[in-house]
């Protein structure tokens, strides 16, 4: 059935209206003579619209006469009719040819670079690194040596474990696998100390091998030796070892927040205004005035690259600038309300710093009221392991 419809589109077909009291008999006779009809739509009890191929349409005259039905062409469709319709429009075909050749030419260039897999490395840094290695938007695909580009990027960034470039159409997909940077592992047969990674107060220290240099309650700074990689013997003197042990300490984190008692806050009215522009490579065309009719507004910019298929991007971007109107409202807080808001803001910042929230063993708050508002400092006391190994260099 689908093959016959395809042939109808290629060789031409018509949409006809059949009118009469014996439409069902008309359809049965068409079926008996193997005349293919599709897209049947009954518009009235005595009228029906159907599609039929050009060759089969010529066979309908005796059937219409026999069933006393009237057949009328509503619309001609298909490739032959389309060509006939535009045969005198030379400019149309010239424009179509220019567009076709332009698309063919543009298909030889990269018009979009998609970077995936990076969680800690900013996308902008990778884009800059690729551009420095002559891999950028607008680059001709012919002659690009992706292997050389990826090898150079790997040499310049030790936080990238693997990088691959796949070119599909005019789209380049750059896949990143980030490296897990771990502290240097010192072999067991080499001498080392255990040092502090942060400023802290020692809570517990247990030296399994080596000499404890600090004790519980001592305040240490980052880089201080906690367990020395040596042992003192009455008869053997000083003997160097590979220090091992566990050190737990209290670490303090603090954040400040200030909340004015008198604030002006934005309240969106719901009114919006959109402005559009078209960017062709590096040339931008504004389709409307860039200024907003609102007096007070927030601006949101978005852009979308045009593409013909899933991986065939064009060097054309549609930019949309949205203006959202807002009104200013004055809000008055009491000192207690401002204090609570400031505490929540400071705690939110601290929670983003500390990965293991269950290690927080104490919280402290310091409040200071000024003429402008309330300033709060929140301090978290956290129990952490603060030790790492450092090789002894003689």
């Amino acid at each position: 059935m689908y093959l016959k419809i395809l042939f109808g589109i290629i060789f031409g077909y018509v949409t006809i209206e059949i009118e009469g009291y014996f439409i069902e008999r008309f359809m049965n006779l068409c079926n008996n003579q193997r005349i293919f009809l599709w897209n049947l739509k009954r518009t009235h009890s005595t009228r029906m619209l159907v599609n039929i191929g050009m060759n089969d349409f010529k066979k309908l005259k005796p059937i219409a006469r026999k069933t006393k039905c009237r057949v009328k062409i509503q619309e001609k469709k298909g490739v032959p009719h389309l060509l006939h319709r535009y045969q005198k429009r030379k400019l149309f075909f010239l424009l179509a040819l220019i567009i076709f050749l332009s698309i063919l030419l543009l298909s030889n260039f990269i018009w979009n670079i998609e970077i995936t897999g990076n969680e800690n490395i900013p996308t902008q840094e990778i884009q800059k690194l690729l551009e420095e290695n002559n891999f950028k938007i607008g680059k001709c695909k012919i002659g690009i040596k992706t292997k050389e580009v990826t090898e150079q990027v790997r040499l310049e960034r030790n936080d990238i474990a693997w990088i691959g470039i796949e070119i599909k159409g005019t789209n380049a997909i750059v896949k990143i696998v980030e490296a897990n940077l771990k502290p240097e592992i010192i072999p067991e047969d080499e001498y080392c100390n255990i040092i502090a990674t942060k400023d802290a107060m020692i809570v517990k220290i247990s030296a399994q091998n080596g000499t404890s240099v600090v004790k519980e309650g001592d305040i240490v700074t980052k880089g201080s030796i906690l367990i020395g990689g040596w042992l003192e013997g009455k008869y053997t003197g000083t003997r160097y070892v590979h220090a091992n042990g566990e050190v737990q300490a209290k670490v303090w984190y603090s954040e400040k927040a200030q909340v004015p008692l008198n604030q002006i806050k934005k309240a969106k009215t719901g009114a919006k205004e959109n402005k559009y522009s078209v960017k062709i490579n590096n040339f931008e065309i504004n389709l409307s005035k860039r200024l907003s009719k609102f007096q007070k507004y927030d601006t949101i910019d978005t852009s979308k690259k045009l593409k013909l298929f899933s991986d065939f991007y064009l060097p054309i971007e549609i930019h949309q600038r949205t203006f959202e109107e807002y009104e200013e409202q004055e809000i008055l807080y009491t000192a207690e309300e401002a204090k609570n808001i400031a505490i929540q803001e400071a705690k939110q910042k601290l929670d983003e710093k500390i990965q293991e929230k269950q290690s927080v063993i104490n919280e402290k708050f310091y409040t200071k009221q000024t003429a402008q508002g309330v300033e709060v400092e929140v301090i978290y006391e956290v129990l952490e392991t603060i030790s790492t190994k450092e090789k002894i260099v003689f």
Side-chain angles (χ1 to χ4, degrees), residues 96-160:
L97 180 62
I98 292 172
I99 292 172
F100 174 76
L101 293 176
S102 299
I103 292 173
L104 196 64
L105 179 65
L106 292 173
S107 65
N108 293 311
F109 295 85
I110 293 172
W111 298 116
N112 186 64
I113 296 177
E114 180 183 344
I115 299 172
T116 61
N118 56 313
E119 295 181 1
N120 301 313
I121 307 172
T123 300
Q124 293 79 4
E125 290 186 15
I126 299 172
Q127 287 174 339
K128 185 179 178 182
L129 195 57
L130 292 170
E131 288 178 4
E132 290 172 355
N133 288 280
N134 202 25
F135 188 84
K136 55 188 176 181
I137 292 175
K139 179 73 176 175
C140 182
K141 295 190 294 184
I142 301 171
I144 289 182
K145 297 178 180 179
T146 56
K147 187 176 180 181
E148 291 183 4
V149 175
T150 54
E151 287 177 352
Q152 189 61 34
V153 171
R154 278 284 296 110
L155 288 173
E156 295 183 27
R157 296 291 297 240
N158 59 0
D159 53 354
I160 296 178

Side-chain angles (χ1 to χ4, degrees), residues 167-201:
I167 298 176
K168 291 183 176 180
T170 60
N171 186 35
I173 304 171
V174 180
K175 298 179 181 178
I176 302 287
V177 176
E178 295 180 344
N180 293 322
L181 299 178
K182 298 179 180 178
E184 181 186 1
I185 299 175
I186 302 174
E188 290 292 331
D189 58 351
E190 292 188 8
Y191 307 140
C192 70
N193 299 318
I194 292 179
I195 63 171
T197 57
K198 298 177 182 179
D199 297 347
M201 185 182 78

